[in-house]
Amino acid sequence: MTWWIHTRRLALLTLVTAGFWAAAFTLGNSRLPLPQLGGATSADVPFILFAPLAPAIALNACYGTPTPIERTALRRVAALDSLLAVAVVAATAAVAAPVMAGWLSGTDPFAAESAVRNLALYTGLALIGRAALGNHASTVIPTLLALVVSVFGYGPEQTAHWWAWPAALPSDPLSWAGSAALLSIGLYQTARGDFPRR
Amino acid sequence: MVMFRLHPRANAAVPAAPVLLCIVVLYVTSDYVAGDLDGYWTAATAKAVSALIFIAPVTAACAAWEAGRLRRAKVGDGTPTRNGWQIAAASLAPVMLLGFLALATALAVVRLQMESAPGWPDVRIIAAACVILCAHVALGYAVGMWLPAVAAVPVVLVGDYLWNVYPPALEPLWLRHLTQPAFGCCSNASAVYPGAVTAPALVAVGLAALAVAAAAVCRRTPRRGSLPGSVPYWGAALAVVAATVTTSAGVRLVDGLGPDAIEARPVSDLVCADPRGTRVCVWPEHASRLTETARTVSTAVERLRRVGVSPPEVVTESGQRPGTGQWTVTVRQDPAFTDQDLVTSLTSDLTVILVNSPHGDGRTHCPADPATAAQRAFDSQDQLGVWLSVRAGRSQQEARDSTDPRIWAPVGRVLGTSAASQETWFQDTLVQARCMPR
């Protein structure tokens, strides 16, 4: 366990995640006017579209490339990796809960809810990317999704397209269901690392 | 000796190329770029190189990925036979080629959307874009040397994209001129402000210096032999000084600019014809319509002379020094821009000239209430513009269809009266239009 904690660089992950919380809850509702090619003449893209990439990237960076020795470990290293991803998302949800419930004034619930949903989505995609493309290219998938949504994700009414989940309103159930599904798939793909290879 | 051994199939630029080229083509065919090209190469070049907002991040991310491959291969830990520049060049040459290909594609697609385009693309803007591209690739390489690819590629992709697209949303306005050459350039009547081409290139040179220094001091960077102990520190200090100097110089060049990097286009560019006493001048990209424009304008000037408007010496597309002796006209390459549009543009500019021209009537006839005076002046100016356009040759039907019924009603009435009544109405309405509070 000590080696797992050491190789997963939990201190770095904690630092980046805490920085993300601070940025999300202070700047989360600020908007960037970005060029649009998806039908909108102009759209102000919320900062919270990009911010959750930071912990998702940090998570995969902290995993590193699995070393062959982990294949012979007695502990379920891949399951621990999955739990680590769940912990990052769950901790963010716990921190955002008072804001989402309206107990804290001065912070926008939109940013808090979007932060949790988008972090789940990006983490899920990064984990799927890790299983499909390897660790080095894993973070390209959520990054490309964020960029594609920021450029093509808004329609003529300046509202997000149905598929642009990171830009959707927090009240959109499809974006929550899709993000949760992708996170679940990513967690399962990661945990499968403990299964014997055929 | 083999200087380079390129492996294009293994380079990140190859899978990135189709995606980047598709996005560039989509962007340059969108309304952001293709909306108003009108055959003016300087404007078209500026709009084509604005595709750097996509080209620079993608090529920088490819460079970061290639640096990551060298890092993972631990080339720097071995004993390379080539120096660091050659190793980096072998990895980055396909990435640079992708960047230049994407820029060339943007220019080619922009050219395809112009009816005709006399002259050539603006070499200064293209050169600045190439410098910026090289700097971003160097920056991606440096970040890729310091961070693992899993972090470097997304950081470079998102960070570089925001670096390119976010400054236009920030104050002061001149910040946008430090990241993109010829930002906001240009309508046909304006030329690019040279400082706004040089400034982003200077900032890019500073960034490149920092990137080279950062890559050089990284212990993972492949190099032949090892650097003497003090060289990294001197190199880093030199890079910081270079970046400070180039950025300061860039800021000095653009800190007086507004949102657009433009200045007045030289009048010497105009192409002129002198058919029937009135000299008519258009920009070179509209030279193919000069004869048609001169004929329409001469006819309109003659018609307006008959209702008491003194003819000008010259009618020109240049907006500089408009006055009673120089009227302005707007011309477009688009065949849908007809003679009627020419007349409308001529009379709308003429109306403003007439209303603003010096006169000795004073403001004795104007309403005392400024709001009433302004409303009446606006209405009178609009009515005057419509009446002048019809008298200059625009069809009544088209004028009625494209005018607010409230404005058209008095104009329609007066157009049915005698020439003397119309001239009296013209003078009275002009006096009311001059009641605009100053």
Side-chain angles (χ1 to χ4, degrees):
Chain A
M1 192 70 182
T2 309
W3 271 111
W4 181 82
I5 292 172
H6 179 72
T7 56
R8 265 46 181 181
R9 289 175 282 188
L10 294 190
L12 174 64
L13 181 59
T14 308
L15 194 70
V16 173
T17 308
F20 158 65
W21 294 339
F25 299 137
T26 52
L27 305 171
N29 203 30
S30 55
R31 289 166 184 274
L32 321 175
L34 302 183
Q36 292 299 312
L37 302 179
T41 48
S42 66
D44 290 340
V45 177
F47 171 73
I48 207 65
L49 187 88
F50 295 107
L53 283 171
I57 292 167
L59 183 71
N60 275 27
C62 291
Y63 283 155
T65 305
T67 51
I69 199 158
E70 289 182 3
R71 295 271 165 219
T72 61
L74 288 176
R75 292 184 190 279
R76 297 195 59 184
V77 176
L80 286 173
D81 287 346
S82 286
L83 282 176
L84 182 59
V86 171
V88 172
V89 178
T92 303
V95 170
V99 179
M100 291 195 281
W103 296 339
L104 288 180
S105 59
T107 308
D108 191 356
F110 168 84
E113 293 170 43
S114 300
V116 175
R117 182 197 57 199
N118 291 356
L119 177 60
L121 174 62
Y122 294 153
T123 304
L125 283 174
L127 294 180
I128 292 170
R130 188 167 179 250
L133 305 174
N135 193 58
H136 302 304
S138 59
T139 48
V140 171
I141 296 178
T143 308
L144 284 181
L145 176 71
L147 289 174
V148 166
V149 167
S150 73
V151 177
F152 296 98
Y154 291 86
E157 301 297 320
Q158 329 300 334
T159 51
H161 290 301
W162 66 267
W163 53 265
W165 297 341
L169 291 174
S171 57
D172 179 33
L174 179 64
S175 64
W176 283 96
S179 302
L182 285 172
L183 179 62
S184 304
I185 294 170
L187 293 171
Y188 173 71
Q189 295 274 5
T190 304
R192 273 183 62 191
D194 285 334
F195 298 169
R197 289 208 167 170
R198 271 173 270 168
Chain B
M1 187 175 102
V2 179
M3 296 291 285
F4 296 103
R5 197 180 296 278
L6 296 175
H7 299 284
R9 279 180 304 168
N11 197 285
V14 176
V19 179
L20 176 60
L21 294 180
C22 283
I23 290 176
V24 165
V25 170
L26 270 176
Y27 174 70
V28 293
T29 52
S30 71
D31 283 345
Y32 285 103
V33 173
D36 192 22
L37 290 172
D38 203 36
Y40 182 26
W41 257 125
T42 302
T45 312
K47 287 177 174 173
V49 304
S50 70
L52 271 177
I53 61 173
F54 298 111
I55 300 170
V58 172
T59 49
C62 289
W65 177 261
E66 289 304 312
R69 292 180 67 204
L70 293 173
R71 216 178 111 109
R72 292 200 297 279
K74 298 191 184 338
V75 174
D77 295 347
T79 51
T81 55
R82 292 176 295 169
N83 65 41
W85 292 102
Q86 287 174 315
I87 294 169
S91 285
L92 299 183
V95 178
M96 297 299 307
L97 280 177
L98 170 62
F100 294 139
L101 176 66
L103 272 178
T105 304
L107 278 167
V109 175
V110 160
R111 173 63 188 87
L112 287 175
Q113 294 173 93
M114 293 195 280
E115 297 281 334
S116 68
W120 295 94
D122 195 313
V123 178
R124 297 167 302 167
I125 299 174
I126 295 174
C130 291
V131 171
I132 292 167
L133 186 65
C134 294
H136 285 250
V137 168
L139 198 65
Y141 185 78
V143 175
M145 278 299 160
W146 277 95
L147 295 178
V150 66
V153 173
V155 164
V156 167
L157 205 51
V158 174
D160 203 317
Y161 180 65
L162 294 180
W163 167 270
N164 278 287
V165 297
Y166 197 42
L170 300 174
E171 297 271 1
L173 293 174
W174 50 259
L175 272 178
R176 65 194 65 189
H177 302 301
L178 295 178
T179 56
Q180 199 179 108
F183 187 94
C185 173
C186 316
S187 68
N188 295 75
S190 37
V192 63
Y193 178 70
V197 178
T198 313
L202 281 172
V203 172
V205 168
L207 273 180
L210 287 176
V212 170
V217 299
C218 180
R219 65 182 174 79
R220 291 191 175 88
T221 303
R223 64 169 63 85
R224 190 165 54 192
S226 58
L227 292 174
S230 61
V231 167
Y233 300 105
W234 282 112
L238 198 63
V240 170
V241 169
T244 308
V245 169
T246 54
T247 306
S248 307
V251 169
R252 282 181 65 88
L253 284 171
V254 296
D255 63 359
L257 280 179
D260 298 329
I262 54 172
E263 62 181 12
R265 191 173 179 183
V267 181
S268 56
D269 284 0
L270 289 165
V271 181
C272 299
D274 201 350
R276 277 183 274 168
T278 304
R279 189 172 167 78
V280 178
C281 299
V282 298
W283 298 117
E285 56 270 18
H286 301 143
S288 61
R289 301 195 72 171
L290 178 58
T291 311
E292 173 196 357
T293 305
R295 189 178 59 243
T296 306
V297 165
S298 299
T299 308
V301 166
E302 177 56 27
R303 282 164 166 263
L304 290 170
R305 191 185 61 75
R306 283 188 225 141
V307 296
V309 181
S310 307
E313 292 160 16
V314 60
V315 177
T316 171
E317 269 204 276
S318 167
Q320 295 174 49
R321 296 189 302 277
T324 48
Q326 176 178 309
W327 298 359
T328 56
V329 66
T330 302
V331 186
R332 287 279 173 268
Q333 279 191 344
D334 185 359
F337 193 86
T338 61
D339 287 358
Q340 299 280 302
D341 298 312
L342 276 173
V343 171
T344 307
S345 78
L346 180 78
T347 50
S348 64
D349 289 345
L350 171 63
T351 308
V352 177
I353 290 171
L354 290 174
V355 171
N356 293 332
S357 62
H359 54 91
D361 295 347
R363 303 173 68 87
T364 50
H365 306 290
C366 299
D369 177 29
T372 310
Q375 184 60 49
R376 191 174 294 178
F378 277 126
D379 288 350
S380 299
Q381 184 169 328
D382 290 346
Q383 291 164 13
L384 206 55
V386 178
W387 181 81
L388 282 170
S389 70
V390 172
R391 295 307 314 231
R394 190 183 181 196
S395 83
Q396 280 200 40
Q397 177 72 36
E398 191 191 291
R400 182 168 57 235
D401 291 347
S402 60
T403 306
D404 181 351
R406 193 175 57 84
I407 300 296
W408 173 257
V411 178
R413 275 196 303 275
V414 79
L415 281 170
T417 61
S418 66
S421 306
Q422 289 193 45
E423 194 166 341
T424 308
W425 178 89
F426 165 56
Q427 296 299 342
D428 292 346
T429 311
L430 186 57
V431 169
Q432 286 175 18
R434 284 170 173 163
C435 287
M436 193 79 70
R438 307 284 178 198

